[in-house]
Amino acid sequence: MPELPEVETVRTILKSQIVGKTIKDVLIRYGKIIKNVTEQNFVTLLRNERLIDIGRKGKYLIFIFENVIMLSHLRMEGKYLLKSAEPYSKHEHIVFFFSDGIELRYHDTRKFGTMYLFETADPVRIMQLTPLNRVGLEPFDELLTPEYVTSRISKLNRSIKSLLLDQTIISGLGNIYADEVLFLSKIHPATNVKILSKENIKVLIENSRAVLSKAIAYGGTTVRSFKASDEVSGRFQNFLLVHTKDKCPVCNQVISKIRLSGRGTYFCENCQKRLDITNTP
Ligand SMILES: [Zn+2]
C-alpha cells in the first residue's frame, strides 16, 4: 500500500511531468472510483481545464486546475502511468487525455482508489470539505505537538500501533512506517495509548518526522506491486530496521511478528518495552 512517502514521490514525479498541460477529454472505464459527482459531471468539469499545481494532504493527491480541484487517493494499488495511444490494460480505469497527445492513466488492480471533484480552485476551501476535513495533521505539521496528540487520545483505549495508523489523528504513517517509528522510539506496539507519557509522545512525533523524511528522500518503499511510476522505484526498503526483518539490528534478537489492528506488526521484544499491554487491538 502506498504510504505518505510514496504518495509524495508520485506527487513530485507527476508535477514535473504534467503541470501546465490542458485536459482535452476524460474516459471513464470504471466509474465507481469517482465518489462525489456523476461520471458525466466529472468529464464535463475537467474538459479544457489546465493543471496549475499538484499538492498533497496526507495520502490524498490534490490536482489543482484553473477552475476545479480533483482529489485522488491511491488506496492499496493505485498508480498513475503516462502513455499515448497504446491499448488499454484492464486495470486502467480513468484516462485523462491532454491536448498534447499525452495520456495520464489511472491504473488500479484492486479498484479501491477514490477520486473527488470540486467546483472550486481554492485549496483552503477544500481542506474544510469531506474527505480532507477528516485527514489528521501530518508529522511535518508544526501544529502536531504532544499536547495535540494527548488531547485526541485521552479517552481512547487502544494500542499505540492502531493510533499511529489512524489517519484522522496523525496522517501519513502506514503499516511499514508505524513499525519503524515504534522501533526507534523503543515502544512496544501493543502499548495502550492511555499510559503513554508526554515524553513518549514527543519521541514518537520526532521519530515519525525522521522516518518519513528519510523515506521521502529515498523515494519511498517499493513493496509488492507498488511503484511510484514506471521508471522510479523507492529505495527506503534498504533502510528498514524492523519491518519484515528477521533479526534486531540493535540486539540481534529474533524479531517478533504479531497482528495488531489486522496488520502484520514487527517489533523486538528486547528493545521495545512493554509499557502496558491492551486487550483492545
Ligand atoms: Zn532488539
Side-chain angles (χ1 to χ4, degrees):
M1 182 190 298
E3 301 186 16
L4 188 150
E6 291 81 55
V7 178
E8 177 61 17
T9 304
V10 172
R11 186 188 75 82
T12 311
I13 293 168
L14 282 181
K15 193 172 162 167
S16 71
Q17 291 173 328
I18 60 168
V19 163
K21 292 187 192 295
T22 299
I23 291 184
K24 193 174 71 183
D25 207 352
V26 181
L27 171 66
I28 300 172
R29 305 180 72 231
Y30 179 75
K32 287 185 181 165
I33 287 168
I34 299 158
K35 294 299 169 195
N36 69 328
V37 291
T38 63
E39 293 181 30
Q40 184 58 50
N41 279 345
F42 189 84
V43 173
T44 308
L45 289 166
L46 280 170
R47 227 175 248 153
N48 301 318
E49 284 290 330
R50 193 167 71 90
L51 184 63
I52 306 295
D53 198 6
I54 305 175
R56 182 184 57 72
K57 185 178 183 198
K59 293 197 272 185
Y60 281 94
L61 290 164
I62 306 171
F63 294 80
I64 304 166
F65 293 88
E66 280 175 310
N67 300 294
V68 296
I69 289 180
M70 184 183 88
L71 303 182
S72 168
H73 196 300
L74 306 173
R75 300 289 296 278
M76 302 294 283
E77 305 278 350
K79 59 186 151 191
Y80 282 98
L81 307 170
L82 283 179
K83 296 193 174 175
S84 52
E86 290 162 55
Y88 299 120
S89 95
K90 66 172 182 176
H91 301 302
E92 291 171 353
H93 305 304
I94 314 274
V95 184
F96 303 89
F97 299 90
F98 293 115
S99 56
D100 63 359
I102 299 291
E103 297 171 16
L104 178 70
R105 298 186 184 180
Y106 178 70
H107 180 290
D108 192 339
T109 53
R110 303 283 293 274
K111 298 182 177 172
F112 288 153
T114 57
M115 289 182 192
Y116 295 79
L117 192 68
F118 297 94
E119 289 185 70
T120 173
D122 180 1
V124 178
R125 180 142 176 258
I126 288 299
M127 298 298 167
Q128 291 144 15
L129 303 173
T130 306
L132 292 186
N133 61 352
R134 299 194 204 125
V135 178
L137 295 175
E138 282 190 11
F140 301 115
D141 199 314
E142 290 174 1
L143 298 172
L144 184 69
T145 59
E147 290 74 20
Y148 162 83
V149 176
T150 307
S151 73
R152 297 291 306 268
I153 66 176
S154 60
K155 293 190 184 86
L156 298 177
N157 183 32
R158 61 200 287 195
S159 69
I160 181 60
K161 173 74 184 264
S162 87
L163 179 93
L164 293 182
L165 293 177
D166 184 342
Q167 304 297 307
T168 68
I169 297 176
I170 302 173
S171 71
L173 287 173
N175 197 39
I176 299 169
Y177 301 112
D179 282 358
E180 296 297 304
V181 167
L182 288 165
F183 178 76
L184 289 172
S185 306
K186 299 185 169 64
I187 294 173
H188 192 293
T191 299
N192 193 319
V193 294
K194 276 206 276 198
I195 63 137
L196 290 175
S197 68
K198 203 165 246 186
E199 183 59 28
N200 291 146
I201 293 168
K202 186 164 166 265
V203 168
L204 284 167
I205 292 172
E206 284 166 2
N207 284 324
S208 299
R209 286 178 180 148
V211 167
L212 288 183
S213 303
K214 189 169 176 186
I216 289 169
Y218 285 99
T221 306
T222 301
V223 280
R224 295 199 195 123
S225 62
F226 176 75
K227 281 165 85 181
S229 78
D230 269 349
E231 299 80 23
V232 180
S233 294
R235 286 169 290 133
F236 188 69
Q237 65 272 20
N238 302 324
F239 301 94
L240 293 174
L241 299 172
V242 67
H243 189 83
T244 67
K245 296 294 171 186
D246 299 322
K247 288 260 173 68
C248 173
V250 174
C251 72
N252 216 32
Q253 185 165 308
V254 174
I255 293 293
S256 302
K257 188 184 177 191
I258 57 172
R259 284 193 88 75
L260 268 179
S261 301
R263 310 298 301 276
T265 298
Y266 295 81
F267 65 104
C268 173
E269 295 200 37
N270 190 38
C271 296
Q272 292 172 258
K273 291 185 189 75
R274 297 166 73 101
L275 300 173
D276 175 43
I277 296 294
T278 171
N279 294 321
T280 319

